[in-house]
Structure formats: C-alpha cells, structure tokens
Amino acid sequence: MATSGVLRQLMYTAHGPPLSALAMRSGTIPTPGASEVLVKFLASPINPSDINQVEGVYPKSPSLPAVGGNEGLAEVVQVGRDCATDLKEGDRVIPRWSCLGTWTSHLASDAGNFIKLPGDVDPLQAATLSVNPCTAYRMLHDFCQLQPGDYVVQNGATSAVGQAAIQLAKVFGWKTINIVRKRPEDQAKGDAEMRAHLQELGADHIVYDDELMEPDTRALFKETRPRLALNCVGGKPLSTLCKVMPQHGTVVTYGGMSKKPIMLPTAALIFQDLHFHGFWMTRWNDTTDLAERQRMLDTLLDLIRSGQLATRVQTHALENWEEAITQATAPYKLDKHVLVF
Amino acid sequence: MATSGVLRQLMYTAHGPPLSALAMRSGTIPTPGASEVLVKFLASPINPSDINQVEGVYPKSPSLPAVGGNEGLAEVVQVGRDCATDLKEGDRVIPRWSCLGTWTSHLASDAGNFIKLPGDVDPLQAATLSVNPCTAYRMLHDFCQLQPGDYVVQNGATSAVGQAAIQLAKVFGWKTINIVRKRPEDQAKGDAEMRAHLQELGADHIVYDDELMEPDTRALFKETRPRLALNCVGGKPLSTLCKVMPQHGTVVTYGGMSKKPIMLPTAALIFQDLHFHGFWMTRWNDTTDLAERQRMLDTLLDLIRSGQLATRVQTHALENWEEAITQATAPYKLDKHVLVF
C-alpha cells in the first residue's frame, strides 16, 4: 500500500527546556525496510519522563537528534516484504520499548518493536495505557501481597499513576488514602473539583499533605494501618508520611516531584521496619517476559472496556504542541495531555 | 541447693549518660519462685543497644528501676519447685528475650526466659553469641540469596557485627569489602593493627571511608558488584556508598553510628534499583519460632568450636564497670568488652 501525506514529527537536536529544545519537522513518510512495518500514530501522550528526556535528565534516552515521546497508539499502514510478523495493515499497536519516538505521524521500525492491541478499545485509552496504568498495576502487585480490605496510601494522588492506582485498588479490593497538595486559596475552586473527581474514581480518603501530622490523619493511619505507600514526591512530605506509617510498611518510589532527596531516619528502617524500593516501568518492560506483560495488558484492557479504568484525557493537535507541553507540565492538573495526528 | 554469697548488679533508676546513671547495688540473692530458675551470670557483654537503653533512646527498654544489659551467659544454680523445665543445676543458659537485665551476678526468672546452651563452648564466646554474631548471620541470609563468590560490602567493619560478618561470609563462601574509618595521623599505628586483624579474620578488601569515590575503589566496586551492603553508619558515608553500589543492590541498616539520617536521591531507588531494609535482632527473636533460632545458634556454636568464628573479648570485673563502659564506648576499638562476675 502506498502511503500519501507528509511525515510530521516533534524533534530535538539538543537537550534543554522542551519549549525551546523541541521543533516541528516535516518530511517524507519513510518506506519500511524488508523486516519493518510502517505505522501511523493516532495518539501519543506527554508523560513526565518524556519531558525529562528532552531536558537531558533521564537515564535512558535516545541518541540525538531524536523524536520525542515514548508511548502512543499507532495503526499499521504497511508491512515490509520479508517481515516475519503476524501484524497486518489496520492492526493497532503500541511500542514494546521506550525511546522509539512517538511524537511523530509515522514510524518505520522492526515489527518486533511493537505489541499488537485489540481494535475495540477507545484509542485515547489505549494510547495512555502502557506507562501510567501499568506502573500503578505493578506497584500494587509486586512489592507486597495485599489482602482484601488492606489500605494503600499514595502521595501525588492526582497524577495519572495516582488516578489509575485509585481505580485499580478498588477493582482488586484494596482501599486508598490519597495525599494531595492543597491549592493556594485563590484557586480553592479547583480543590473541590479535584476532590469530587478522585472520589468518583473510588478514593476512600483524601488528605492534604500539610495535614499529615494532624490528629485526625494520625488516627486514620492508626486505624487503617496502610501496608503499602506509593511515593512520587520525596523530600520532606515523604519523611512526614513515613512518620505516620505503621510498622513493617513498604514504600515504593516511582517519582521525585519535589526534586528533593528522600531522608530516612535510621529508626524508620531498624525499629519501624519500613522497606524502601523503587519502581521503573522501563526496566520492568526491558527485563520481563512478553507473555507476562501481555497478561497485564489484557487485564487492563478488560477494565477499560468495562469502564472500571479510565484515564482523563485532553487532546491537542500535533501543531499545537507548545500549548500541549505547557499544559502537561502545569501543576494541579487532572488530565493527561495527548498529541493527536 | 542453698546459694551463698551476695547479689551484685549494675542498676539505673533514671535514664542518662551511663557513667552517671548507673550504680552498683548489693543485696540478697533471690530465691526462685515455684516456676522460676535462679541463674548465676558468668559473663555479660556491653553492647551499644545496652548503652542506648540506659540513655533512654532505645525503643524497647525495661521499666525503671532496671538492671542494665540484655545479653550474657549464666549457669543454673537452683530450679523452682514446680518448674516445668528440662533445665537443671549446672546447665548453661542465655536469655531468650531482651530486657531481662544481665549486668547482675544472679537472676531469678521464669524458666521459659532462658535458652539452654551446651557446656563445652568457651564461656566468653557463648556470652557474646546471641546479639552480634546472630545479627551478622541473619543479615547475610535473610535479605538476598547470595551465591558462592558474591561480594558483600559493609561499613563499620571493625564493629563486633562487622567482624562476625567477615568470618561468617568466609565460612559461607562470600567475599567482603570492608569500609573502616581512618584514624588521625598520630594514631596511625592502630590502623595497622586493625588491618592485620580484619585480614586475619578473612577480610578480602579493606577500604577507608574517605576513599570511596577514588578511582581504585570505584574500580573495585565495578569489578566485584557487591549485591548486599550492611550499614551501621548512615549519613553522608552511606550516601557515598550508595553512589558506588551497582544496580539492584540491597542495603540493610542495623545501626546509625553517625547519628545522621540516610539521604537517598530518588534515582537511587527508581533507576539504580537499590532496596533498603532495616534489621533488628530483638524483633527477629520476638517474632521467630524458637526452633529456627536454635538452628542458627547450633550452626554458630559449631563454628565457634572449630575456631572459624571468634569474638575478640576483653573482660572486666563487675566492680570495674566504669572502666568497662568507658572502653566499650570508645572509638576505634576492636574488642567486645565483657563484665565477668
């Protein structure tokens, strides 16, 4: 099949702040090599790690010049002549690895670099599935054996991972305490919207980060004794969270929004018996059997179909990438910002 | 059997610096209750946690007034009338739990509060077995499955736990990198003695803590890729150690000699995949089946008999307790200081 149209992609030739480092590039749509498939992207989200890659502060990055983005949903438009694959034209795929560059209208790459997705799932939900919901899924399953009714606490609960964790915990029978930042007083209206949204997702408790040491919150932790804490903030807020954690808890870090290191008093480890791990979806994908990943994706796709898992999405035409980046990096947002092609 | 002599014990009625808080007390040797045994202590070490208890900065402490000490070897001198125990006069025992108070010539307590030890083991080695060597044993076994030839790194390598870890690692086929503090220049002679002693125990590498970032040390870590780190220091020295640790390492904290918290960049958890746990022998003893503890003690007793495990001991008559405490809390020491009765 011949492909008409023009290749458009968001590229960077040097690391720096995304708005100045990135630029739109037009070109000719590539012809797939013999073992390659050519895909056309439908939707590609802007994740914090994508931003960090452009900034040059991420440990796994493509070599420069590079197309931005690591996640997205694409459609196969052409299959290479000698390509040993069951992919065919019209199939929907997501990248198997990071660093393929998804902020592009088209990509020709080895067939093995893609995972086939069923065609009956909302494209925006499929496009935002493989990073944030999968991160939430793994952190809830891989670090301690939660029992029905067990509590999980998380900071950064409004993040896309946080919202997915609320929904997944509910599906699997666990309850959540959700720590959020309080907005300045002049934005208090947003607070009400945020609370309503998290509650609709299934949040059992919502706590402002500056209220962690207050008697009500301490009583809540004492009563619910959360066994697992998900951390994307670090710094003092995490130190405070550790103070109210019960004995033997597990703390899994997947982000460091505060840009401050984690400070642990020795006693939190020895006497409180807290356990600290980190989670990185990229490493999990790079080191785990595809069949296990497929099982997780199938589970999550079923939850999307049944409406039990949904990412709140705001779309931007690729041409409006500057606005998309600006909104994706703004504080207090509830939406995942997605480029569409 | 009637017991002659006088009860002598080292007591504290209020928390404070050990030299001022502790005092010698004489009294009448107690008669054991019907379900109790009366034991006479032979030797009781001074451990850092004993000091912290007297200072009032330890999370598990006896109620005041209290006899100091948590570890020691005793001999059964009288068995209570209705005591359902296989202990008999002349048997050697160690405390099953902490907080019994071992800095005493005699103690009457429930038979279930003691564990019988064989009589053929050197009393000073038996007296110092249950805290430090057991801590080293558990940390080497319980946090990752080390393979033959694997490397373990530890700071505070001259501590009693550190010396036991060197010996046990050698027995079990693991190699050690041992981080030590360098003495001031005018004490450099002690350094040579320390190095010779650790090497005699089986230390594979000895590294000064201020040399961790030097090219030779970094090369050593790169080559040996230690999978397990034992930490009793914390603070900046641990942050530096984490920088040279390879990916996926496990860090077990059992002390905080620097009295500074552990500071971890988020990246050490997410991208370096370091895992942080704490170990507290008291909790392990309190929560573990006696049979499992017995298996560990039997293994360690065999190693003591064969000369593969030895604690370097310096004894002090109970009357000289002030000198004993002073030496036990001095820096750069290699000996465990033990009160004898």
Side-chain angles (χ1 to χ4, degrees):
Chain A
M1 181 188 123
T3 305
S4 62
V6 176
L7 173 76
R8 292 166 309 139
Q9 46 192 198
L10 205 46
M11 292 197 73
Y12 54 114
T13 53
H15 295 297
L19 288 182
S20 52
L22 288 165
M24 276 286 287
R25 191 184 83 102
S26 295
T28 310
I29 296 169
T31 308
S35 68
E36 289 185 330
V37 293
L38 174 69
V39 305
K40 180 187 183 319
F41 273 91
L42 306 176
S44 300
I46 300 166
N47 288 315
S49 50
D50 304 331
I51 300 293
N52 293 153
Q53 272 186 349
V54 177
E55 291 168 336
V57 296
Y58 205 66
K60 187 180 176 188
S61 288
S63 50
L64 298 184
V67 173
N70 294 277
E71 188 184 23
L73 179 71
E75 197 174 287
V76 176
V77 288
Q78 194 175 347
V79 177
R81 194 169 16 95
D82 303 327
C83 192
T85 179
D86 57 358
L87 289 177
K88 54 187 189 306
E89 282 173 35
D91 280 349
R92 286 189 175 168
V93 295
I94 58 173
R96 179 163 176 193
W97 321 107
S98 62
C99 295
L100 289 189
T102 60
W103 294 347
T104 184
S105 61
H106 299 78
L107 172 66
S109 189
D110 274 357
N113 289 335
F114 299 101
I115 297 175
K116 185 175 166 178
L117 238 52
D120 67 338
V121 171
D122 174 79
L124 291 175
Q125 294 301 313
T128 53
L129 167 66
S130 67
V131 174
N132 297 310
C134 288
T135 297
Y137 181 96
R138 296 257 62 98
M139 292 198 297
L140 288 169
H141 284 88
D142 293 355
F143 294 90
C144 58
Q145 280 261 308
L146 294 170
Q147 303 300 317
D150 273 350
Y151 272 81
V152 176
V153 58
Q154 63 171 342
N155 57 31
T158 56
S159 72
V161 172
Q163 294 184 46
I166 293 170
Q167 298 171 79
L168 293 178
K170 194 177 177 190
V171 165
F172 295 114
W174 308 315
K175 291 172 179 287
T176 54
I177 301 173
N178 299 281
I179 305 172
V180 297
R181 276 184 299 175
K182 200 166 192 166
R183 289 172 191 247
E185 272 199 23
D186 57 343
Q187 299 184 15
K189 205 176 148 226
D191 254 11
E193 189 206 344
M194 174 274 294
R195 294 185 71 93
H197 176 60
L198 296 193
Q199 277 160 356
E200 200 179 329
L201 295 181
D204 295 285
H205 300 277
I206 298 171
V207 175
Y208 292 111
D209 59 358
D210 62 354
E211 291 173 356
L212 269 175
M213 296 302 286
E214 291 194 3
D216 282 359
T217 314
R218 295 177 75 122
L220 174 66
F221 274 77
K222 217 165 177 178
E223 188 193 329
T224 58
R225 302 184 64 75
R227 295 185 54 212
L228 177 65
L230 310 182
N231 164 49
C232 68
V233 176
K236 269 193 188 162
L238 180 65
S239 299
T240 313
L241 171 57
C242 288
K243 280 186 192 153
V244 296
M245 279 291 282
Q247 284 220 332
H248 315 306
T250 296
V251 181
V252 181
T253 292
Y254 68 98
M257 269 168 36
S258 73
K259 297 189 189 296
K260 293 280 191 306
I262 292 168
M263 278 185 58
L264 303 176
T266 294
L269 290 161
I270 303 178
F271 304 124
Q272 200 178 345
D273 194 27
L274 297 183
H275 301 261
F276 292 84
H277 307 275
F279 182 74
W280 189 22
M281 198 67 231
T282 299
R283 181 178 50 240
W284 192 92
N285 288 336
D286 287 353
T287 56
T288 305
D289 188 46
L290 184 57
E292 193 169 343
R293 184 164 172 194
Q294 193 68 58
R295 275 194 293 279
M296 169 175 64
L297 290 173
D298 290 345
T299 301
L300 296 174
L301 288 164
D302 279 345
L303 294 175
I304 290 173
R305 287 190 190 96
S306 67
Q308 291 168 285
L309 175 67
T311 298
R312 219 171 98 157
V313 169
Q314 196 170 322
T315 58
H316 305 263
L318 182 60
E319 285 67 27
N320 301 331
W321 65 272
E322 285 168 302
E323 191 195 328
I325 296 271
T326 303
Q327 293 193 23
T329 52
Y332 303 114
K333 66 187 178 301
L334 289 169
D335 295 331
K336 174 66 47 180
H337 292 269
V338 177
L339 301 169
V340 290
F341 303 87
Chain B
M1 181 187 124
T3 306
S4 63
V6 175
L7 173 75
R8 293 166 307 140
Q9 46 192 199
L10 204 47
M11 293 197 70
Y12 55 111
T13 54
H15 294 297
L19 289 180
S20 53
L22 289 165
M24 276 285 287
R25 191 184 82 103
S26 295
T28 309
I29 294 169
T31 306
S35 68
E36 290 184 332
V37 293
L38 174 69
V39 305
K40 181 187 180 321
F41 273 91
L42 306 176
S44 299
I46 300 166
N47 287 316
S49 49
D50 305 330
I51 300 293
N52 293 152
Q53 272 186 349
V54 176
E55 292 168 337
V57 296
Y58 204 66
K60 187 179 177 189
S61 288
S63 50
L64 299 184
V67 174
N70 294 276
E71 187 184 26
L73 180 70
E75 195 174 287
V76 176
V77 291
Q78 196 176 345
V79 177
R81 196 166 17 91
D82 302 327
C83 192
T85 179
D86 58 357
L87 289 178
K88 54 186 190 306
E89 283 172 32
D91 278 350
R92 287 191 173 165
V93 296
I94 58 173
R96 179 162 176 193
W97 320 108
S98 63
C99 295
L100 289 187
T102 60
W103 294 346
T104 184
S105 62
H106 298 81
L107 172 66
S109 190
D110 275 356
N113 289 335
F114 299 101
I115 296 175
K116 186 175 164 178
L117 239 52
D120 67 338
V121 171
D122 174 77
L124 292 174
Q125 294 302 313
T128 54
L129 168 65
S130 67
V131 174
N132 297 312
C134 288
T135 297
Y137 181 95
R138 295 257 61 99
M139 292 198 297
L140 289 169
H141 284 88
D142 293 356
F143 294 90
C144 59
Q145 281 259 310
L146 294 170
Q147 303 299 317
D150 273 350
Y151 273 81
V152 177
V153 58
Q154 62 171 342
N155 57 31
T158 57
S159 72
V161 172
Q163 293 184 46
I166 293 170
Q167 296 171 79
L168 293 178
K170 193 178 177 187
V171 166
F172 296 114
W174 309 314
K175 290 171 179 289
T176 54
I177 300 172
N178 299 279
I179 304 171
V180 297
R181 277 184 298 175
K182 199 166 194 168
R183 290 174 190 244
E185 271 200 23
D186 56 344
Q187 298 183 16
K189 208 179 145 221
D191 253 12
E193 190 206 344
M194 174 275 293
R195 294 185 72 94
H197 176 60
L198 297 192
Q199 277 160 356
E200 201 179 328
L201 294 181
D204 295 287
H205 300 277
I206 299 171
V207 175
Y208 291 111
D209 60 358
D210 62 354
E211 292 173 355
L212 269 173
M213 297 302 285
E214 292 193 2
D216 282 358
T217 314
R218 297 177 76 124
L220 174 65
F221 274 77
K222 215 163 178 180
E223 188 193 330
T224 59
R225 302 184 65 76
R227 295 186 52 210
L228 177 65
L230 310 181
N231 164 48
C232 68
V233 175
K236 268 192 192 164
L238 181 64
S239 300
T240 313
L241 171 56
C242 289
K243 280 186 194 154
V244 295
M245 281 289 284
Q247 283 220 333
H248 316 306
T250 295
V251 181
V252 181
T253 292
Y254 67 99
M257 270 168 36
S258 73
K259 297 189 189 296
K260 293 282 192 305
I262 292 167
M263 279 185 60
L264 301 178
T266 294
L269 290 161
I270 303 179
F271 305 124
Q272 200 178 346
D273 194 28
L274 296 183
H275 301 260
F276 291 83
H277 308 276
F279 182 74
W280 189 21
M281 197 69 232
T282 299
R283 181 178 52 240
W284 192 91
N285 288 337
D286 288 353
T287 55
T288 305
D289 188 47
L290 185 55
E292 193 169 344
R293 184 163 172 195
Q294 193 69 60
R295 273 193 294 279
M296 169 176 62
L297 291 172
D298 290 345
T299 301
L300 296 175
L301 287 164
D302 279 345
L303 294 175
I304 290 173
R305 288 190 189 95
S306 66
Q308 291 168 285
L309 175 66
T311 299
R312 219 171 98 157
V313 168
Q314 195 170 324
T315 60
H316 305 263
L318 182 59
E319 287 67 28
N320 302 330
W321 64 271
E322 285 167 301
E323 192 196 326
I325 297 272
T326 304
Q327 293 193 22
T329 52
Y332 304 113
K333 66 185 180 303
L334 290 168
D335 294 333
K336 175 66 47 178
H337 292 269
V338 177
L339 301 168
V340 291
F341 303 89

